[in-house]
């Protein structure tokens, strides 16, 4: 292995890794809002609203993220939607992960014993108050775990925005392989950076999980 | 804003060919990653840590880095030493990636087979290997079925990524058509619909397979 | 009373077994003649299950000798594959029935019964099927041949497990608390099958909690406690007039509750 080369290209890859973190973090942030809205729509009292939310989730989960990305970036202008590559990565990433996350959140909420809901309602709490004070605190732990899994998928998926020429980690790695003809060195370094990012995410998830379960027996 | 799907119709045979390639790759990768995953899991569980650490390392590496990066490495890395067709790189890359995920599942489900099952098999006179083949592996397979079919559904969607290394599946063949007709929206929508239909069928199959497997585990 | 010139079907001599520092079998001698039925009773932790599991080497004993029809089961002199081959052959001649059934969930009822004769004896499919159906008929479950274990009740599972063990035409049947995990109303159907075997003079070694059943069905009864055989006798004697105080105490607790 050519260590001099690795030291030489490291700054470029670190910079690109930061773009990977940036794009994933933004997509996660907006994705969470989209997910929350979807969960609300799915529990709406108006059936067509529920169907629409379900259809959206089904279509997003049933088609490749990569195709969604290409459709919005290259096909978007045909319907008047022009996004720069980075924004496109964030938007498509958020709308994609939002659909998965809404299922994760719903699963966590449904995992809370229905007796909790009944007990809270019988005390006179409303639907939203019950959700806020009783259900969500109990669902939080499971929710953090599954959102954490999705965040890791988001980081790995972000590599696909290299195709629409966002200069993130995979894009830079591919370019460096092409210019240096040293695939092993480039791969080792860039893989290492993905691993660092993913372990950092896992660390944060574990920290939040511990906090969420501070008062419970788990 | 007007849509014109006539170019899609014009290139329909090419697109169908791409669908065929996608499905064939899916089949090849499914077979490779399920059988390979089971072999990797068995070796990992039945050999010493000193011997199987490279396997555990590769499972970990394939699961913590993006597929596209792995494909680039295989494509340019292996291309350095030997000339193999891109489609081979694609099948192997996707195959190894999902082999790691499947091995991870099999390791868990093989471990979950109870000691009573081993004892029952041994008390009938079956040896270690026979017990593995007739009792442990079939059961671990049934128990792995839900996650396994999930992985395969995700895998088929990932075949679209192989267009990045120039494999003539759906996305790649339409990229050519798009460069001639300038109709990206229509083509990508069509691909999305085809993928959605494939996905619906796979989910129907998954429900059937899971019910059958849960009844037998 | 017992003909000592005949080769016993199962014989244990000075069997000792330790788990770490704990000695669970402290030198057990036992002799089961052809066609005899022996019940072993005792409190949990007495070593009775360990003893039974030692007979087909699911537990490896530390000292002593175990013989099946004159052939030594435990062979400290054999190592690795040689022992493996030896013990697999021995086990084919012993049927074992477990507390938790341990049916193979991925196989149908019939396949559970026929797996061993097909794969170990090379029996062809149609012969195996015939044998399997005969055995299922015998345990009253021929209508469940195609069902999977997940669809059976506990009692039905255990009856299939007995049929599975019988499929290799074993010389002796070992029952390890075969009815302990069953709901009370399902115990009788399994007991009936075991009684049927007794009438056919199957050699049986039964570890059980069912005192009434042990008294009714067996030719010889043993009471174990703390890794030793405290007392053994004919069931009439052991259950009605036990000589030892420990046996009396144990029976008072268990028979009292039952009858």
């Amino acid at each position: 292995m050519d260590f001099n080369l690795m030291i030489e290209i490291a700054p470029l890859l670190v910079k690109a890794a930061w773009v990977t973190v940036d794009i994933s973090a933004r997509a996660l942030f907006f994705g969470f809002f989209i997910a929350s809205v979807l969960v609300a729509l799915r529990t709406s009292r108006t059936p067509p609203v529920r169907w629409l939310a379900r259809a959206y989730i089904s279509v997003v989960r049933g088609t490749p993220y990569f195709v969604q990305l290409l459709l919005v970036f290259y096909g978007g202008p045909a319907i008047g939607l022009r996004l720069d590559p980075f924004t496109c990565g964030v938007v498509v990433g958020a709308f994609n992960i939002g659909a998965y996350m809404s299922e994760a959140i719903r699963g966590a909420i449904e995992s809370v014993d229905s007796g909790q809901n009944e007990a809270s309602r019988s005390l006179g709490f409303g639907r939203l108050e019950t959700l806020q004070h009783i259900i969500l605190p109990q669902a939080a732990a499971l929710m953090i775990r599954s959102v954490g899994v999705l965040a890791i998928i988001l980081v790995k998926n972000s590599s696909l925005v290299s195709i629409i020429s966002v200069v993130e980690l995979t894009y830079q790695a591919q370019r460096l392989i092409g210019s240096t003809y040293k695939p092993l060195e480039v791969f080792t370094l860039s893989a290492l950076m993905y691993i660092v990012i993913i372990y950092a995410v896992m660390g944060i998830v574990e920290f939040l999980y511990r906090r969420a379960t501070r008062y419970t027996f788990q | 804003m007007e849509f014109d799907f006539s170019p899609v119709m014009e290139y329909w045979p090419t697109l169908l060919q791409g669908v065929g390639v996608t499905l064939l790759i899916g089949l090849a990768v499914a077979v490779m990653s399920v059988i390979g995953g089971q072999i990797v899991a068995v070796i990992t569980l039945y050999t010493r840590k000193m011997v199987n650490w490279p396997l555990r390392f590769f499972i970990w590496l394939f699961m913590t880095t993006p597929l596209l990066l792995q494909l680039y490495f295989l494509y340019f890395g292996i291309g350095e030493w030997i000339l193999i067709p891109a489609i081979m790189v694609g099948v192997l890359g996707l195959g190894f990636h999902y082999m790691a995920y499947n091995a991870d599942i099999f390791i868990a489900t093989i471990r979950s087979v109870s000691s009573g099952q081993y004892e029952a098999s041994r008390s009938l006179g079956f040896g270690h290997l026979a017990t593995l083949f007739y009792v442990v592996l079939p059961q671990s397979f049934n128990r792995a079925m839900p996650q396994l079919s999930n992985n395969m559904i995700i895998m088929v969607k990932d075949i679209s990524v192989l267009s990045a290394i120039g494999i003539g599946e759906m996305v790649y063949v339409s990229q050519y058509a798009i460069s001639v007709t300038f109709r990206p929206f229509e083509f990508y929508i069509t691909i999305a619909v085809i993928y959605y239909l494939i996905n619906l069928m796979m989910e129907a199959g998954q429900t059937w397979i899971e019910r059958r497997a849960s009844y037998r585990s | 009373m017992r003909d000592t010139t005949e080769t016993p079907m199962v014989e244990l001599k000075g069997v000792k077994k330790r788990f770490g520092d704990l000695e669970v079998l402290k030198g057990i001698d036992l002799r089961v003649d052809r066609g005899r039925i022996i019940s072993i009773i005792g409190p949990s932790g007495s070593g009775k299950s360990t003893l039974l599991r030692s007979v087909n080497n699911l537990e490896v004993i530390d000292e002593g000798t175990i013989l099946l029809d004159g052939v030594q089961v435990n062979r400290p002199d054999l190592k690795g594959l040689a022992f493996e081959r030896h013990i697999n052959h021995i086990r084919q001649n012993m049927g074992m029935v477990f507390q938790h059934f341990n049916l193979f969930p991925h196989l149908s009822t019939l396949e559970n019964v026929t797996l061993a004769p097909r794969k170990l004896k090379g029996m062809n499919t149609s012969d195996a099927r015939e044998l399997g159906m005969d055995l299922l008929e015998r345990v009253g479950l021929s209508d469940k041949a195609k069902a999977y274990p997940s669809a059976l009740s506990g009692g039905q599972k255990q009856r299939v497990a007995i049929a599975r063990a019988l499929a290799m035409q074993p010389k002796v049947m070992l029952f390890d608390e075969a009815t302990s995990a069953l709901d009370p109303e399902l115990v009788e159907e399994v007991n009936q099958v075991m009684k049927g075997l007794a009438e056919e003079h199957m050699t049986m070694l039964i570890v059980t909690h069912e005192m009434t059943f042990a008294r009714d069905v067996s030719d010889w009864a043993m009471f174990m406690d703390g890794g030793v055989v405290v007392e053994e006798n004919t069931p009439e004697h052991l259950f009605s007039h036990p000589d030892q105080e420990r046996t009396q105490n144990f029976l008072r607790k268990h028979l009292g509750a039952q009858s």
Side-chain angles (χ1 to χ4, degrees):
Chain A
M1 270 218 251
D2 187 344
F3 287 104
N4 286 333
L5 176 83
M6 286 168 82
I7 292 167
E8 207 177 300
I9 62 173
L12 280 175
L13 285 172
V14 170
K15 215 175 132 197
W18 184 247
V19 177
T20 291
V21 172
D22 193 9
I23 205 166
S24 309
R26 283 170 204 245
L28 185 68
F29 181 78
F30 294 119
F32 189 75
F33 279 102
I34 293 165
S36 310
V37 171
L38 284 171
V39 171
L41 294 182
R42 276 209 66 171
T43 50
S44 156
R45 294 207 185 102
T46 327
V49 174
R50 287 205 302 267
W51 298 335
L52 217 62
R54 274 179 64 173
Y56 171 80
I57 292 167
S58 164
V59 168
V60 168
R61 285 163 47 106
T63 52
Y65 171 62
F66 189 52
V67 173
Q68 294 162 13
L69 198 64
L70 296 173
L71 175 67
V72 173
F73 188 70
Y74 293 109
I79 53 166
L81 186 68
R82 282 164 210 284
L83 298 171
D84 65 88
F86 185 88
T87 313
C88 184
V90 172
V91 168
V92 178
F95 275 94
N96 178 276
I97 213 70
Y100 288 90
M101 215 185 288
S102 73
E103 293 288 274
I105 293 173
R106 201 170 58 95
I109 289 173
E110 280 174 2
S111 76
V112 177
D113 184 48
S114 66
Q116 293 292 311
N117 186 49
E118 285 166 14
S120 167
R121 297 301 292 273
S122 75
L123 285 172
F125 283 114
R127 220 171 130 231
L128 272 179
E129 288 164 320
T130 300
L131 189 67
Q132 183 193 346
H133 298 297
I134 311 296
I135 308 294
L136 283 183
Q138 297 186 57
L142 185 58
M143 214 142 83
I144 288 166
R145 277 274 157 90
S146 34
V147 170
V149 171
L150 290 173
I152 289 168
I153 291 173
L154 196 57
V155 170
K156 286 193 272 181
N157 271 352
S158 75
S159 65
L160 298 180
V161 299
S162 63
I163 299 298
I164 56 171
S165 45
V166 176
V167 189
E168 47 65 76
L169 198 42
T170 297
Y171 183 91
Q172 193 61 277
Q174 188 219 356
R175 216 167 60 176
L176 286 169
I177 291 175
S179 61
T180 62
Y181 296 106
K182 300 273 189 196
L184 186 62
E185 283 81 351
V186 177
F187 176 76
T188 306
L189 258 187
S190 43
L192 197 67
M193 284 176 200
Y194 272 113
I195 289 162
V196 168
I197 296 170
I198 284 169
Y199 272 77
V201 172
M202 280 161 55
I204 294 168
V205 168
E206 201 48 40
F207 172 76
L208 293 174
Y209 181 80
R210 290 243 181 86
R211 276 189 59 125
T213 53
R214 219 171 3 170
Y215 302 117
T216 58
F217 306 120
Q218 287 157 329
Chain B
M1 180 163 81
E2 78 231 34
F3 302 121
D4 180 7
F5 280 89
S6 60
V8 175
M9 286 294 107
E10 194 186 322
Y11 280 91
W12 190 243
T14 320
L15 208 54
L16 272 189
Q17 213 180 326
V19 175
V21 172
T22 298
L23 294 179
L24 279 182
I25 291 175
L27 194 67
V29 172
V31 171
M32 172 181 169
S33 67
V34 170
I35 295 175
Q38 198 148 42
I39 293 171
V40 168
V42 168
I43 296 175
T44 307
L45 286 172
Y46 287 83
T47 57
R48 289 164 199 277
K49 285 204 159 145
M50 292 281 283
V51 180
N52 65 39
W53 71 263
L55 281 180
R56 283 180 292 123
F57 175 73
F58 280 112
I59 293 176
W60 173 79
L61 188 65
F62 276 112
M63 290 178 73
T64 43
T65 55
L67 172 67
L68 186 57
L69 188 71
Q70 293 161 18
L71 287 174
Y72 283 147
F73 174 66
L74 284 178
Y75 188 63
F76 296 107
I78 295 180
E80 283 279 277
W81 305 303
I82 38 168
L83 207 66
I84 60 169
I87 184 119
M88 284 287 286
V89 176
V91 170
L92 287 178
L94 209 53
F96 282 129
H97 187 81
Y98 280 95
M99 198 187 282
Y101 278 91
N102 291 347
D104 192 53
I105 294 169
F106 281 129
I107 286 173
T109 57
I110 291 173
R111 278 202 182 125
S112 77
V113 174
S114 72
S115 60
Q117 290 293 314
Y118 285 87
E119 287 184 353
S121 172
R122 299 300 309 248
S123 77
L124 286 170
F126 285 110
H128 288 293
L129 261 185
T131 299
L132 183 68
F133 278 107
Y134 298 135
V135 177
V136 178
L137 289 187
Q139 283 180 42
S140 70
F141 197 84
N142 282 348
R143 285 185 196 194
M145 221 51 223
Q147 288 164 287
L148 214 56
S149 54
N150 251 346
N151 275 359
M152 293 303 96
I153 287 175
I154 300 170
M155 178 272 285
V156 168
K157 289 189 281 177
D158 271 348
I159 296 173
S160 59
V161 178
L162 297 184
S163 62
I165 56 167
I167 290 164
E169 47 65 73
M170 269 188 269
V171 175
Y172 188 79
V173 295
S174 22
Q175 274 168 347
Y176 170 75
I178 290 165
S179 71
V180 181
T181 62
F182 302 107
R183 286 286 169 188
F185 186 84
E186 287 84 346
F187 273 99
Y188 286 132
I189 276 285
T190 309
I191 292 175
V193 169
I194 295 172
Y195 258 116
Y196 187 62
L197 292 178
I198 294 176
N199 197 75
L200 281 186
M201 282 190 277
M202 289 189 76
E203 275 180 356
Q206 178 183 35
T207 315
W208 181 78
I209 274 175
E210 267 178 32
R211 192 176 322 130
R212 195 183 137 92
S214 82
Y215 190 61
R216 298 175 181 201
S217 62
Chain C
M1 223 175 86
R2 284 201 272 170
D3 174 16
T4 45
T5 56
E6 186 200 13
T7 313
M9 194 53 105
V10 177
E11 191 170 18
L12 279 70
K13 296 178 195 159
V15 167
K16 289 187 180 178
K17 168 75 186 169
R18 273 184 300 276
F19 288 124
D21 292 338
L22 185 71
E23 197 170 22
V24 284
L25 298 178
K26 299 173 179 166
I28 306 282
D29 298 300
L30 167 67
R31 183 192 160 104
V32 190
D33 284 319
R34 207 170 295 263
R36 289 290 179 137
I37 296 155
I38 297 200
S39 291
I40 306 172
I41 58 169
S44 43
S46 60
K48 58 190 195 302
S49 268
T50 307
L51 180 72
L52 193 79
R53 290 160 58 81
S54 301
V55 174
N56 72 354
N57 208 62
L58 283 180
E59 302 289 354
V60 184
I61 60 170
D62 298 309
E63 274 176 58
T65 318
I66 298 173
L67 298 159
L68 171 71
D69 205 7
V71 180
Q72 190 170 345
V73 175
N74 66 316
R75 289 282 296 272
D77 56 315
L78 290 179
K79 298 272 178 267
L81 263 182
F83 179 73
E84 182 71 19
R85 219 170 289 137
H86 159 77
I87 197 65
N88 288 343
H89 183 73
I90 291 277
R91 281 170 176 161
Q92 290 178 27
N93 292 308
M94 291 195 226
M96 175 124 184
V97 177
F98 299 87
Q99 183 179 356
H100 295 289
F101 332 126
N102 297 338
L103 284 186
F104 303 133
H106 62 297
L107 299 177
S108 72
T109 299
L110 181 65
E111 287 164 340
N112 260 281
V113 179
T114 58
L115 182 74
R118 279 191 299 128
K119 302 296 180 187
L120 292 171
K121 284 187 175 165
M123 193 181 279
N124 68 44
T125 317
S126 63
D127 287 353
R129 208 192 123 78
E130 203 176 314
L131 170 72
M133 289 308 293
D134 280 352
L135 286 168
L136 286 177
E137 180 80 58
R138 205 157 134 194
V139 298
L141 286 171
S142 49
D143 56 324
K144 297 281 185 192
K146 284 188 175 139
Y148 280 79
S150 61
L152 302 181
S153 73
Q156 292 172 329
K157 281 183 192 168
Q158 196 60 297
R159 282 146 69 196
V160 175
I162 293 172
R164 177 176 71 178
L166 288 172
M168 291 298 281
Q169 269 118 21
K171 293 179 173 175
V172 56
M173 287 284 283
L174 311 172
F175 290 87
D176 187 6
E177 312 229 8
T179 54
S180 297
L182 294 176
D183 292 336
E185 70 271 20
L186 301 177
V187 169
E188 193 46 37
E189 63 186 66
V190 174
N191 282 348
Q192 281 307 323
V193 170
M194 290 171 69
K195 276 182 186 150
L197 287 178
E199 279 156 19
E200 293 165 35
H201 303 292
M202 170 62 79
T203 312
M204 298 201 270
L205 195 50
I206 302 170
V207 165
T208 185
H209 274 138
E210 298 274 321
M211 301 306 149
T212 327
F213 178 72
R215 182 170 55 193
D216 293 349
V217 83
S218 44
D219 303 311
W220 195 252
M222 297 172 78
F223 172 67
M224 274 184 75
D225 194 8
V228 294
V229 177
V230 176
E231 182 173 357
E232 56 181 312
N233 214 319
T234 60
E236 295 80 30
H237 191 101
L238 188 97
F239 286 102
S240 318
H241 324 281
D243 300 326
Q244 301 291 325
E245 205 187 321
R246 275 152 90 186
T247 319
Q248 287 162 13
N249 287 339
F250 176 79
L251 286 176
R252 199 173 308 128
K253 249 188 268 168
H254 285 80
L255 270 180
Q258 268 188 4
S259 55

